[in-house]
Amino acid sequence: MAKGSTAAKWTRRTFLASAGLIGGGLALGLTLAPNRLKMSADTVKDADEAILNTWVKVSPENQITVLIPHSEMGQGAGTGLAQMLAEEMEADWNTVSIEQAPALHEYTNSDLGRGYIVGEGAEIPAFIYPLLDFSFLQIASGLVGQMTGGSTAIRLTGHHGMRRAGASAKGMLLAAAARDWDVPLSELEAKDSYVLHAGSNRKESFGSLATAAAEFEPSLKPDLKDPDTYKIVGTSKARLDLPEKVNGRAVFGMDVQVPEMIYAAIALPPIRDARALSVDQSGVRKRDGLGQVLNLGDVVAVTATSFWTATQVLAELNVTWDGGQQDLSSEAIRALHENDLAHKKREVMDSAGNTETSLAQGKRIDATFAVPFLAHATMEPMNCTAHVTHPTCEIWVGHQNPLFAKAAVADVLGYDKDSVTIHSQYLGGGFGRRGDMDFVTIAARIAAQLDKPVKVIWSREADMANDSYRPAILSKMAGSLDGSRISAVSHAYIDASSGMPDSERPFAFPYDVPNRQIERVKCPSPIPVGTWRAVDFTQMGFFNETFMDELAYEADVDPLQFRLDHTTDPRRRAVLQRLGKEARWGADLEPRRSQGVAMVESFGTIVAQVVDASISDDGGVRVNHVTSVVDCGRLINPDAGEAQIKGSVIFGLTSALFGEITLEGGKIVQQNFPDYRMIQMENAPSQTVYFMPSGNPPGGLGEPGVPPVTPALTNAIFAATGTRVRELPIAKHGFYGV
Amino acid sequence: MSISFTLNGDAVTADVDPEKPLLWVIREDFQLTGTKFGCGIAACGACTVHVDGIAMRTCVLPVEAVAERNVRTIEDLDIDGTSNPLQTAWLEHQVPQCGYCQSGMIMAAEALLQEIPNPTDEDINAAMTNICRCGTYDRVRNAIHTAAKARQGG
Ligand code: FES
Ligand code: FES
């Protein structure tokens, strides 16, 4: 089932360099560049220039600053990365702080991905593949990305980059002490931000050695610590970004203040691809601070000295929109999927044995599954502040991929990318949405019409109706049993292109089945779709894990045992067994209260969950408790990891209980939170999360908790009521969340 | 038109359209950006502040409604350092994820504790209707219980 064959071996060139800092201290930079492809002279040149980049700085005062090349959107990646670096450096955690790296090539993920992964002779995870692809690089104007998504921060940057940078820095500090004290290197020890020499009882802080250390060459292949000796990694260090997130001081994109800044409110086409033919301003009342009304065709903007004024005026405009796909509806899209699945040529993703014959011989069941479009609905609506002065542009934004945003802005303005500066801010949620470019390029285009900086804020309604949604898709599965074993599974599904790299997309039926036929039909979505937390795993997880449950009941075997019976991988088996124990699987519960189980592996992490739910006679579904067992390899920060899993559970349950974006007459029906409902305190279940001890490389944690919880819930609903939920949300089957 | 009120202990005057929601007056005219915009229709609670000690959603509250009244925002909660028990509990439980909803959460919780010093889970469910898209609810709940204990002297 693993798609290892799509990964590739690479060779590398590594740049690791150091420099003294003005005023003393050490800056250690590490950059990697590929030597394959000879591509992108541009990238390689930039990488060479990047020799002075900084991943870690040591000040004479012995303060250590780690530059974080990933956006902070709530996952605590900055703290986790700093832990990895501090561990190898033998730094005193209390002296470590983090800074957001600017959007420069020097901080790119893919340089790391190429370099280090490759350097170790390991395989590149296929999901990063497109970032390494020549044509992709060209499209992106030779830029490589500072991507936060695909749960990459800890897995790539941390595991392969931060650890190495920390170890190299330590090596240089030790070398400086050895020279200055005239003692053999082997007699020195680094500990808690000091270098110690036991023989002479000397002790000097990293800070006071830093300037001397900068004269030494950093090692490309420093020795890394034995994980058994870790003191910082694997502990629940408090997140470094949280103090300013409890007192209102954290600056999100929405909060940026720039001198002379004005605001803009925008109207986007109510029907996709419509254009604003005309804007009638006759209904606009006179107001103080009103700026301009701009018609850019695909967006109408009102500027003012207050966002509220701009919003009021926007509502008074009479915009005539023309064109667009007015006949689009959820029903039409469903019909299209039915038709394509029935008649279009299918692409075979996986084939083994003789599925058709097996299906005909065994006890057969068939199921059709459907999942809806889903909005990201980040808590902070889309926004971006832009100042275009010819010939430069400054952007203030919270973005999951600032480097691509920079390229996109340069492109839309026709500027050289070096004249665009991105000031990265905190993200009030990302979930994939803040990897899109629309909210950035729209702001840049509006700013290009103005002589002042402008903060463009999307209303919640604009945000919800103009998202890049999790695709609605359809799936048909069939399976057969030979006694209590699955003899065959076939699966045909619509692939609406989530934006996830094809090579990384899940398709396999993740259990041991001898006869398999997995096929897809590509049917690009008629409305924009994109990456939504855990991406395709959310749909595939629901299909596979619901169907697995159906087969278990058909075979009259306990669903958890049935999964074990069809799983050989020891890690997955261990997760299931632990889950059974921790969740007290099979405990006697009152009538109409049941447990459901599901397991999905994604982004290098296995998550299995049991949902305990009660269902009232009229279909009210109350989730009482969710138990998660997680094997994410080596855990960097248990407390931050637990938070991610718990948050993911709420995210997934929200979609199962309430989530659906629908279309009517080409328009998105849902507007704001009341009609795109969220779990609130009163609906939130209690939760327990257990991590499997593991020395395996770290897996992702921001996303893998999402996919299993929906099928675990719907399987619990079946256990309690006998009603099989094959379409989402649960309202499709007369249930509702309470 | 000018509207006078007390903002975090200071007498202030806003020279704005009286219908302008307090949220935007706080954010734009007084540059206190800890109070957030999330929905604009009183559905999410990101814009929660205290008006005379009561938690109010300010995205739909015209500034004229707070004339001569006492407005307190998240920026004023730790005015004596970081000693507010809620903020301490929030850090102890490592509550925030992205953090965007948390000002509103904390202001709603502060109003709750002022009214009910030792709230039950049901009290918390009833009072805390803020949306957190990151799903921090169970840590919010635990932190409120911890802060309630601390306020009562442990
Ligand atoms: S912004 Fe006021 S309640 Fe959502
Ligand atoms: S912490 Fe992100 S919305 Fe609550």
Side-chain angles (χ1 to χ4, degrees):
Chain A
M1 158 215 147
K3 302 186 297 313
S5 57
T6 56
K9 302 261 187 204
W10 300 68
T11 54
R12 68 165 173 176
R13 288 198 296 149
T14 303
F15 300 97
L16 184 58
S18 60
L21 286 172
I22 297 166
L26 163 72
L28 175 82
L30 163 161
T31 300
L32 303 128
N35 61 7
R36 178 191 178 261
L37 294 179
K38 287 193 222 50
M39 55 179 170
S40 161
D42 196 22
T43 306
V44 176
K45 179 183 106 265
D46 284 339
D48 275 323
E49 286 169 355
I51 266 179
L52 290 184
N53 75 7
T54 51
W55 285 83
V56 56
K57 292 187 286 192
V58 184
S59 78
E61 294 74 36
N62 211 20
Q63 291 297 312
I64 294 164
T65 309
V66 183
L67 275 89
I68 303 297
H70 292 273
S71 308
E72 182 55 63
M73 52 188 185
Q75 77 283 47
T79 306
L81 291 172
Q83 281 179 263
M84 296 172 99
L85 185 139
E87 180 72 64
E88 291 294 346
M89 192 171 173
E90 298 294 353
D92 173 359
W93 180 250
N94 295 314
T95 66
V96 175
S97 61
I98 53 177
E99 247 174 51
Q100 178 76 44
L104 300 171
H105 291 83
E106 288 83 339
Y107 302 102
T108 54
N109 271 333
S110 36
D111 274 345
L112 272 178
R114 288 191 206 101
Y116 269 133
I117 291 176
V118 186
E120 297 191 328
E123 293 187 325
I124 287 192
F127 71 88
I128 205 156
Y129 206 87
L131 286 179
L132 311 172
D133 183 88
F134 180 53
S135 59
F136 187 80
L137 282 171
Q138 283 207 315
I139 292 165
S141 315
L143 288 176
V144 283
Q146 231 173 355
M147 176 185 72
T148 304
S151 300
T152 53
I154 296 290
R155 299 173 66 195
L156 297 183
T157 309
H159 195 66
H160 299 286
M162 287 289 173
R163 291 195 308 158
R164 212 64 62 103
S168 293
K170 180 183 76 177
M172 293 162 74
L173 291 159
L174 289 172
R179 185 192 62 187
D180 288 4
W181 304 346
D182 199 18
V183 296
L185 196 59
S186 58
E187 291 178 13
L188 292 171
E189 186 196 0
K191 199 177 171 203
D192 296 336
S193 295
Y194 281 83
V195 175
L196 316 171
H197 183 242
S200 63
N201 226 351
R202 292 192 69 157
K203 180 177 176 179
E204 204 72 71
S205 75
F206 282 2
S208 44
L209 289 164
T211 307
E215 295 166 29
F216 288 85
E217 281 290 310
S219 162
L220 286 178
K221 287 203 159 203
D223 289 337
L224 295 174
K225 288 178 75 171
D226 173 359
D228 290 341
T229 65
Y230 283 175
K231 292 177 305 215
I232 298 173
V233 167
T235 65
S236 293
K237 295 296 179 205
R239 269 174 55 189
L240 298 169
D241 58 324
L242 291 202
E244 60 179 341
K245 288 181 174 175
V246 301
N247 63 16
R249 263 65 163 191
V251 176
F252 294 84
M254 187 70 86
D255 306 327
V256 166
Q257 308 271 358
V258 180
E260 306 258 309
M261 181 183 85
I262 59 171
Y263 296 86
I266 57 169
L268 295 164
I271 295 175
R272 291 291 168 147
D273 303 333
R275 306 279 302 174
L277 272 191
S278 63
V279 180
D280 172 8
Q281 301 185 38
S282 59
V284 173
R285 288 196 288 137
K286 257 207 98 50
R287 277 189 186 78
D288 288 345
L290 176 58
Q292 307 178 41
V293 175
L294 302 169
N295 181 358
L296 304 183
D298 57 342
V299 50
V300 173
V302 176
T303 66
T305 54
S306 160
F307 175 64
W308 181 72
T309 306
T311 302
Q312 300 286 104
V313 171
L314 190 71
E316 290 165 1
L317 296 178
N318 194 350
V319 182
T320 306
W321 297 97
D322 181 55
Q325 309 173 64
Q326 299 171 25
D327 49 356
L328 266 189
S329 68
S330 297
E331 291 71 29
I333 293 171
R334 171 67 178 261
L336 177 75
H337 288 170
E338 295 274 8
N339 185 65
D340 282 7
L341 217 44
H343 303 299
K344 276 232 179 115
K345 191 171 151 35
R346 295 175 177 180
E347 182 184 347
V348 177
M349 309 299 290
D350 179 28
S351 183
N354 194 333
T355 306
E356 221 168 289
T357 317
S358 303
L359 285 174
Q361 285 164 356
K363 183 171 171 193
R364 173 180 171 133
I365 55 172
D366 285 89
T368 299
F369 298 102
V371 294
F373 292 107
L374 293 170
H376 295 81
T378 57
M379 206 67 231
E380 177 192 18
M382 293 302 111
N383 65 83
C384 178
T385 301
H387 190 198
V388 177
T389 57
H390 307 273
T392 66
C393 173
E394 281 189 275
I395 299 281
W396 294 260
V397 69
H399 201 279
Q400 285 178 246
N401 195 338
L403 269 182
F404 277 17
K406 179 173 164 152
V409 168
D411 191 48
V412 78
L413 295 176
Y415 283 15
D416 185 273
K417 70 180 180 340
D418 292 331
S419 50
V420 177
T421 305
I422 306 268
H423 305 278
S424 286
Q425 312 297 323
Y426 279 132
L427 286 68
F431 314 125
R433 176 64 174 103
R434 283 199 157 83
D436 293 334
M437 297 302 151
D438 54 350
F439 59 103
V440 185
T441 53
I442 284 173
R445 289 166 59 212
I446 291 170
Q449 309 283 315
L450 306 169
D451 56 5
K452 288 191 172 74
V454 60
K455 184 189 287 180
V456 181
I457 300 175
W458 295 35
S459 65
R460 172 59 63 190
E461 290 78 7
D463 183 292
M464 194 160 288
N466 296 275
D467 201 345
S468 56
Y469 304 95
R470 196 286 303 268
I473 61 171
L474 188 70
S475 137
K476 288 184 189 289
M477 299 189 82
S480 58
L481 290 162
D482 180 0
S484 57
R485 288 207 65 88
I486 307 171
S487 50
V489 164
S490 76
H491 188 190
Y493 62 91
I494 292 291
D495 180 338
S497 295
S498 60
M500 196 177 191
D502 213 35
S503 56
E504 264 307 293
R505 307 178 64 189
F507 55 82
F509 189 73
Y511 291 97
D512 303 334
V513 177
N515 302 294
R516 305 182 303 271
Q517 188 71 14
I518 314 290
E519 300 170 336
R520 72 174 175 188
V521 175
K522 282 206 170 187
C523 180
S525 169
I527 64 167
V529 290
T531 53
W532 189 92
R533 198 174 190 177
V535 211
D536 293 11
F537 290 98
T538 62
Q539 297 121 324
M540 285 299 157
F542 174 63
F543 305 151
N544 289 333
E545 287 297 310
T546 308
F547 198 60
M548 192 64 187
D549 217 66
E550 299 201 20
L551 289 165
Y553 276 89
E554 202 60 38
D556 202 18
V557 178
D558 172 88
L560 199 151
Q561 184 59 44
F562 192 69
R563 283 170 172 80
L564 276 171
D565 292 345
H566 291 84
T567 302
T568 45
D569 173 43
R571 285 178 75 183
R572 292 165 64 93
R573 287 185 64 85
V575 166
L576 280 171
Q577 282 158 341
R578 175 94 183 267
L579 179 68
K581 187 168 125 268
E582 303 293 358
R584 285 193 279 142
W585 175 256
D588 240 356
L589 300 170
E590 62 250 39
R592 294 187 75 83
R593 175 172 181 174
S594 285
Q595 294 179 318
V597 63
M599 171 170 70
V600 178
E601 180 174 352
S602 62
F603 307 104
T605 294
I606 304 161
V607 181
Q609 289 162 337
V610 165
V611 166
D612 163 353
S614 299
I615 294 92
S616 67
D617 288 339
D618 70 344
V621 174
R622 158 105 221 148
V623 181
N624 304 307
H625 190 82
V626 179
T627 310
S628 301
V629 174
V630 182
D631 181 347
C632 60
R634 182 170 299 286
L635 188 54
I636 308 303
N637 185 320
D639 185 72
E642 185 207 77
Q644 284 302 301
I645 297 296
K646 287 182 169 179
S648 298
V649 162
I650 298 295
F651 204 86
L653 281 179
T654 299
S655 68
L657 293 173
F658 308 120
E660 184 177 28
I661 290 288
T662 55
L663 282 119
E664 260 173 48
K667 295 183 186 173
I668 301 293
V669 175
Q670 292 70 24
Q671 297 290 308
N672 205 318
F673 288 125
D675 51 6
Y676 189 70
R677 217 180 128 186
M678 296 286 129
I679 283 184
Q680 284 160 291
M681 184 70 80
E682 61 168 348
N683 325 106
S686 57
Q687 294 193 47
T688 43
V689 179
Y690 302 89
F691 289 98
M692 302 295 287
S694 170
N696 287 311
L701 271 172
E703 303 175 272
V706 177
V709 75
T710 293
L713 170 68
T714 55
N715 292 341
I717 291 175
F718 176 80
T721 65
T723 300
R724 199 41 96 173
V725 174
R726 287 176 175 161
E727 302 204 12
L728 292 172
I730 59 170
K732 296 273 188 238
H733 299 268
F735 296 107
Y736 63 96
V738 288
Chain B
M1 209 181 124
S2 26
I3 316 278
S4 298
F5 58 101
T6 304
L7 181 59
N8 296 338
D10 297 331
V12 297
T13 300
D15 207 5
V16 298
D17 183 335
E19 286 179 27
K20 182 169 179 176
L22 180 59
L23 168 66
W24 298 109
V25 174
I26 293 170
R27 288 181 56 87
E28 296 176 353
D29 301 276
F30 296 102
Q31 315 227 319
L32 294 176
T33 55
T35 306
K36 305 299 187 202
F37 165 60
C39 68
I41 58 164
C44 76
C47 62
T48 304
V49 306
H50 293 182
V51 178
D52 292 340
I54 309 286
M56 303 271 263
R57 295 187 173 178
T58 55
C59 59
V60 291
L61 184 70
V63 62
E64 62 185 343
V66 301
E68 309 308 329
R69 297 173 74 181
N70 200 343
V71 175
R72 189 181 184 209
T73 70
I74 183 75
E75 284 87 352
D76 195 41
L77 211 58
D78 62 344
I79 197 105
D80 307 320
T82 51
S83 58
N84 186 293
L86 274 171
Q87 289 167 318
T88 310
W90 241 247
L91 289 178
E92 182 189 329
H93 289 272
Q94 293 281 294
V95 174
Q97 289 190 26
C98 81
Y100 195 78
C101 73
Q102 298 292 336
S103 299
M105 282 281 183
I106 291 171
M107 294 311 281
E110 173 75 8
L112 167 65
L113 291 187
Q114 280 172 19
E115 201 192 322
I116 309 176
N118 199 3
T120 62
D121 279 346
E122 287 64 44
D123 295 331
I124 292 174
N125 288 348
M128 301 295 296
T129 55
N130 301 46
I131 291 172
C132 173
R133 183 58 162 149
C134 298
T136 61
Y137 299 111
D138 80 330
R139 289 189 175 193
V140 168
R141 184 189 299 284
N142 294 338
I144 292 174
H145 286 309
T146 299
K149 277 200 203 97
R151 283 166 67 110
Q152 295 173 310

